[in-house]
Amino acid sequence: MDLALVSEILGWTSIAFYISITVFNSMKITRFAAFGSTGNDIIWSLLMGWYPKLILNLSVTGVNAYRYAKDFTKAPLALLNTLVALMFAGIGYIFWFAVTNFLKDPTLSTGMQFADLGVILLALSMKDLKHYRILMLISGFVGMVGYYGNTQMMIIKAMVIGIMCFKLFIEKEKKENLEEKTA
């Protein structure tokens, strides 16, 4: 089996994992699906040479692993904090490596992938759901440019745009109509 075929398979399984994360109603099962999704995408990112996506998936894996261990295990806090420090150091090194390589040979595609990484990390730091959704909507469009030409990533970004538009505009409108009827 050649690497192009493996990359193609990982791209389609990435879409399946992305869908699975949105359908589960249990946080524990959602975290397991997220582990599968990020594990898949880490390998896919390496094969495709997408360092911003690799950094994002390693970061999400780190946060997910920390939250899983904290919420569903009895791991000591000192062990969890040590794990976070090691993950932060590793991700920092990969980020440094990716940025120095980008600066040696900058491209619009890679630049937009880094912009997408920044928008997603900013979105993940939001406490307000509306701001999170607005940033994820922006990420959909930025990612479309960054990953232009890759069918699977274009589908994922289109799904992000569709879901965020639904959540921001259609779901909001339904809620407002329901409130008007009950008033």
Side-chain angles (χ1 to χ4, degrees), residues 126-133:
M126 291 290 123
K127 291 183 180 180
D128 179 54
L129 194 55
K130 181 179 179 185
H131 290 115
Y132 165 80
R133 289 176 176 163

Side-chain angles (χ1 to χ4, degrees), residues 70-164:
K70 188 170 184 183
D71 295 344
F72 301 112
T73 70
K74 295 178 182 174
L77 192 58
L79 177 64
L80 292 176
N81 289 337
T82 302
L83 178 65
V84 167
L86 290 172
M87 287 187 290
F88 185 75
I91 292 167
Y93 174 75
I94 293 168
F95 184 76
W96 173 79
F97 175 79
V99 169
T100 55
N101 278 341
F102 170 69
L103 293 174
K104 289 177 188 173
D105 185 25
T107 64
L108 175 63
S109 176
T110 305
M112 294 303 280
Q113 289 173 19
F114 274 110
D116 188 36
L117 168 64
V119 171
I120 291 171
L121 292 178
L122 185 61
L124 292 173
S125 71
M126 291 290 123
K127 291 183 180 180
D128 179 54
L129 194 55
K130 181 179 179 185
H131 290 115
Y132 165 80
R133 289 176 176 163
I134 290 169
L135 287 168
M136 288 304 293
L137 178 61
I138 293 167
S139 164
F141 291 108
V142 172
M144 281 281 197
V145 176
Y147 296 102
Y148 182 78
N150 181 277
T151 304
Q152 296 95 340
M153 282 303 297
M154 300 293 284
I155 290 170
I156 290 170
K157 290 302 179 177
M159 288 170 51
V160 168
I161 291 168
I163 291 168
M164 292 307 121

Side-chain angles (χ1 to χ4, degrees), residues 26-37:
S26 159
M27 200 59 203
K28 192 171 188 176
I29 294 172
T30 299
R31 292 216 185 275
F32 282 129
F35 282 130
S37 176

